[in-house]
Amino acid sequence: MLTIKYALSPSQIQACLRTNRGFQCLPSKAQLQLCQALVYQEYEAGTIIIKQGHVATECYLILSGKIKVVMADEDSQAKNFTPETLCEAEEGDFIGETCLLTDLKRPASVICTSDTELLVIDKEDFKFVLADLRCEQFHATSHFLRNLPIFSAWPPEKIDFLVHCSLERFYRAGTTVVPDSLNSLFLVIVKSGRCMIAAKLDGADDGDCSDLLDQIPPKSFSKEKISFTGQHLEATCKMTPKYKSGKQKAQISSLTPRFLKIRSLEQSDIFGLLEAMDKSYALQLSLISEGADCIFIPKKLFLEEAPSKSRQIVLEMVSSYPTESMIHESYIVQQEWTMYKTKLLGRHLDRCHRKTPGTSNVSW
């Protein structure tokens, strides 16, 4: 596989990192120091960046593209054996840095799933610039997880290993954190801030959902709130101009529901437990940030390592989401209310237009 490796000037590095989530979360001093130490690399899809069992000599910051983390059993030597994907990483994620802190061998392999651009940080530069920051973050995340009921029965070394294999990301308000719960490899824990769980309707976009957040009450247009499992189901609407009347061409916004808000998640709440524990669950949900720092834990690793007491706590924590029929019924109600309101406003504007006498331009 083709690999291109060369040094960029600090100004070129800064230009590449202006919108990089992982880099922007670092203190200014660390940013400046890294710009002088980073080495740029390009990899083709399918390239193995990190090999399981190897000694760690560097870590990486993803500029673009996607990678997957795979872990093979020590006993699996068959030629046709395909290691299972543990998790995936994307632009803004640091990978491989925990082994530089612990001096352990690589616990998994990392493979490019697309053409990928990376910034490489060697071990010496990492220890000088990032080691203290990442060590502090590592211990803070471990402490945070130990205080959650779901991890109360986990031995400290297993929690440390879980943190080792997890990702931490910050998402601005309106950003999709998980577009499809059924195809997500992660449990997502809200470390700080807030997210919402939403059911995606036909034709909804997986990208920026800031318009969804803009319409949350008091600005949402829902005829009623449908209650289930102690929560509220709220219809959220996107404004699209459709109605025109008379010479004034007055426009009325037609309200087309795009998502149905299921519930909100706050600090320590977890997304993905139901899908992890119940493989027959088939409702596709999305997780939308309202400004949140999230921890991503591989579902496969959690299910393999969780002690029986932890599994029991999970079963007690899991509450059912609404069924597809409930969501469809709420959507129909919202559509009917939307059509009625649009028609009513249209008639009102028509009457006002007919009653309004002709006006002439007056100069003051």
Side-chain angles (χ1 to χ4, degrees), residues 183-244:
N183 292 316
S184 173
L185 297 172
F186 295 101
L187 296 177
V188 182
I189 303 175
V190 180
K191 188 176 182 181
S192 64
R194 185 170 173 158
C195 294
M196 73 164 74
I197 301 174
K200 189 177 72 171
L201 304 177
D202 291 340
D205 182 14
D206 281 338
D208 193 311
C209 298
S210 54
D211 60 326
L212 184 154
L213 296 179
D214 290 341
Q215 302 302 327
I216 292 175
K219 295 183 180 180
S220 65
F221 295 85
S222 55
K223 183 177 179 182
E224 60 182 333
K225 294 181 179 179
I226 302 174
S227 180
F228 60 92
T229 62
Q231 301 289 340
H232 285 138
L233 179 65
E234 299 170 352
T236 307
C237 307
K238 181 183 180 182
M239 308 289 285
T240 54
K242 286 188 178 179
Y243 182 86
K244 296 182 180 180

Side-chain angles (χ1 to χ4, degrees), residues 130-144:
L130 287 180
D132 290 342
L133 291 171
R134 303 305 281 182
C135 187
E136 182 180 342
Q137 183 184 34
F138 179 88
H139 289 300
T141 302
S142 296
H143 179 73
F144 176 81

Side-chain angles (χ1 to χ4, degrees), residues 166-178:
S166 68
L167 299 170
E168 189 168 334
R169 300 170 181 164
F170 176 79
Y171 291 88
R172 64 178 177 83
T175 306
T176 301
V177 179
V178 177

